[in-house]
Amino acid sequence: MNIHRPIQSPQEPTPHRITVDEYFALSRDSLNHLDRKFELWDGVIIEMPSDSPLTVRWTSTINRWLFSNLDESYVIASDATLRMDGDWAPDPDHFVFQANVREEDLRPTDVLLLIEVSNTTLKSDLGKKAIAYAENGIREYWVIDPNSKTLFAHQLREDGTYGPPAEIAFTDTITAQHIPGLTLRMADLPRIS
């Protein structure tokens, strides 16, 4: 006797995990046409909030600061996808690596500095993303909160974690640990005071 049971929808939304390669294929074929921003977090597609005017002001200013202070021996990737292990493919606001590393060969451990401007995403940037960046070997990770004008500086420790970030005030100076001579004092940046 064959008993037919009706198909029931799940009671809660059910995430569908995908790989980074599947994400890139989907992004190329479908997601890019939606005019929205997406990232892959641990195999789950996340729709990101639109950039506010405050975020645009800070990211463009940080971009100009990076290009003004780094020579051609570095590559500055802005709002570009970073392939990471564990089915992560975020689009950090900025990341820097040596120019002798080909983009096709780039590994997270090649990134010398990664910067996120976090107007509306501070909780996830200091939480899930920080954990993923540390697990993937990102040596230095800065999160800039334009609302409080605070920079949260993470340094990769020997145990592969960041630990509590250093909080850098608007009027204080921070020096990148893996890019000689690169210093930032947010109060000196144009258009953000």
Side-chain angles (χ1 to χ4, degrees), residues 20-49:
V20 171
D21 290 335
E22 291 169 330
Y23 173 73
F24 276 97
L26 181 62
S27 180
R28 181 184 63 247
D29 297 339
S30 301
L31 294 178
N32 286 339
H33 303 291
L34 296 177
D35 291 328
R36 290 186 248 164
K37 291 173 57 174
F38 296 95
E39 294 185 0
L40 185 66
W41 291 12
D42 198 21
V44 177
I45 297 173
I46 304 294
E47 183 174 353
M48 301 303 291

Side-chain angles (χ1 to χ4, degrees), residues 9-10 43 52 54-55 57 76 79-80 92 103 110 112 158-159 172:
S9 298
S52 70
L54 183 63
T55 301
R57 184 181 312 100
I76 301 162
D79 203 23
E103 287 76 3
D110 296 319
L112 303 172
E158 286 185 22
D159 68 357
D172 292 339

Side-chain angles (χ1 to χ4, degrees), residues 108-151:
T109 53
D110 296 319
V111 173
L112 303 172
L113 175 63
L114 189 145
I115 303 172
E116 294 276 17
V117 175
S118 299
N119 179 26
T120 59
T121 58
L122 187 62
K123 183 179 177 182
S124 59
D125 287 340
L126 292 175
K128 284 185 172 193
K129 276 192 174 179
I131 293 168
Y133 288 149
E135 288 175 349
N136 279 272
I138 302 291
R139 295 179 252 178
E140 188 165 14
Y141 172 43
W142 294 355
V143 178
I144 298 173
D145 177 6
N147 296 301
S148 67
K149 295 185 176 176
T150 303
L151 186 153

Side-chain angles (χ1 to χ4, degrees), residues 16 18-19 49 99 102 130 152 186:
H16 175 73
I18 63 174
T19 67
R102 292 173 36 95
F152 298 90
M186 292 182 292

Side-chain angles (χ1 to χ4, degrees), residues 72-83:
E72 65 277 353
S73 64
Y74 298 97
V75 173
I76 301 162
S78 298
D79 203 23
T81 304
L82 178 62
R83 282 180 179 253

Side-chain angles (χ1 to χ4, degrees), residues 1-5:
M1 180 173 175
N2 190 2
I3 299 175
H4 294 282
R5 296 182 188 210

